[in-house]
Amino acid sequence: MANIILKDIKKSYSNKTTVIENLNLEIEDGSFTVLVGPSGCGKSTTLRMVAGLEDITSGELYIGDENVTKVEANKRGISMVFQNYALYPHMSVRENIEFGLKNNKVKKEERNRLISEVSSIVGLDEYLNRKPSDLSGGQRQRVALARAMVKTPKVFLMDEPLSNLDAKLRNQMRSELIQLHKRLKSTFVYVTHDQVEAMSMADKIVIMNKGKIMQQDSPKEIYKNPKNVFVAQFIGNPAMNIINIEKQNISYGFRPEKVNLVKENNFDGIVLKGQVATKEILGSEVIYCVNIDSKDVMVRTTNDEIKVDEFISLYINADDLYYFDKDGNRIYEQMKVMKILEVIECEGNIDEKAI
């Protein structure tokens, strides 16, 4: 096991395009850390620099106590699982798992022991003599994992390894990866664009955008205490509602699942009124799109009795409101928050204020 430290990392290409600049990140030893963000945010490039598959333009990279900035990929003590599995089609499952061990001149007896051990862990015992073409997507993914595990690396790197699987299999493999991490107690670094994978699997989430870290924290803290509008809207389904206050060049937000459609006793918050534009039934929950002053506001609730075109009131508790400055950064100061509430009321967006 090992921690990973990226210090003042910059990545530029020959056309002088800089995709990552001044990146500082520490990934804890034994953690399950997920790098998440939209396409082009730099998450896969960061992973590939850790793996040694991309050169670092400037800065330093440490795995454990070793500076590996210039160390070749095969000498970094890491294993990587790719999106497309990268299995050899002409080899059996056993041969795919064994390939790296042979290259490292591991003796046959030890190879057999390691293959038996890892194939048992990932449930491949009965498939060892099959070719990849005879396996399902989930089984191929297990082969890729077994091939990585058999090297007993200090760090596992995974680049969107579940993206080619269907929804049901992704759910199953997420659970299996969580259990695998607990069993191996190794450092896992996982890249995805899927916030569900990030929230359900990670000990720590690193949210990236345009080559920069927007926030790094536990899934719970990321959800409850986003530091900026980008994080607030990236995590959550549907995304956090953000309403701009144009005159002040600031905004406030609230999560769709925090909206009440009935006024509670001792209610302390704001009330918005609008017309239901759409209704999406998701089994036990319903998502409404409510038009408020030409702004679409999303509501996630168990109340399925409201009809499209109906006028309704939305009740949002004061504790569930977030405030952001003109640059999209979170406003925490209580005095500023109170002034923003006064402005919202004066603009007429709120019918009632009970603070």
Side-chain angles (χ1 to χ4, degrees), residues 167-300:
K168 182 178 180 181
L169 196 50
R170 280 201 306 273
N171 290 338
Q172 178 185 336
M173 289 301 297
R174 281 202 298 264
S175 177
E176 291 184 7
L177 282 172
I178 293 167
Q179 294 177 57
L180 182 62
H181 174 254
K182 289 180 179 178
R183 174 180 284 192
L184 298 178
K185 296 182 172 61
S186 298
T187 304
F188 278 33
V189 186
Y190 188 104
V191 160
T192 183
H193 64 275
D194 186 340
Q195 60 157 306
V196 174
E197 286 187 8
M199 293 293 286
S200 62
M201 299 172 73
D203 300 321
K204 291 290 176 65
I205 295 176
V206 179
I207 299 182
M208 298 183 67
N209 187 40
K210 297 179 180 178
K212 297 180 180 179
I213 295 174
M214 306 305 290
Q215 188 167 344
Q216 178 185 4
D217 221 319
S218 68
K220 182 178 180 180
E221 280 300 305
I222 291 274
Y223 174 81
K224 292 184 66 176
N225 293 305
K227 291 183 177 180
N228 49 64
V229 168
F230 181 86
V231 173
Q233 292 204 293
F234 190 83
I235 296 295
N237 185 28
M240 180 183 286
N241 296 299
I242 301 292
I243 298 178
N244 295 322
I245 307 172
E246 301 295 345
K247 291 177 184 179
Q248 300 294 317
N249 206 16
I250 54 180
S251 59
Y252 68 96
F254 52 91
R255 294 207 177 275
E257 55 271 29
K258 294 297 184 179
V259 176
N260 294 312
L261 300 178
V262 177
K263 187 176 181 179
E264 299 174 334
N265 293 332
N266 302 316
F267 172 71
D268 181 16
I270 63 173
V271 185
L272 304 176
K273 286 193 175 183
Q275 186 177 23
V276 176
T278 63
K279 177 180 182 179
E280 184 180 357
I281 299 174
L282 303 175
S284 62
E285 292 185 311
V286 181
I287 295 176
Y288 296 101
C289 176
V290 182
N291 189 271
I292 298 174
D293 293 334
S294 300
K295 167 74 177 178
D296 288 339
V297 172
M298 307 306 292
V299 178
R300 187 167 189 151

Side-chain angles (χ1 to χ4, degrees), residues 8 23 145 157:
D8 300 325
L23 181 71
L145 287 169
L157 306 178

Side-chain angles (χ1 to χ4, degrees), residues 43-60:
K43 57 188 185 294
S44 288
T45 301
T46 300
L47 193 79
R48 291 174 64 84
M49 285 191 291
V50 174
L53 302 177
E54 292 269 6
D55 292 333
I56 295 172
T57 305
S58 63
E60 295 179 324

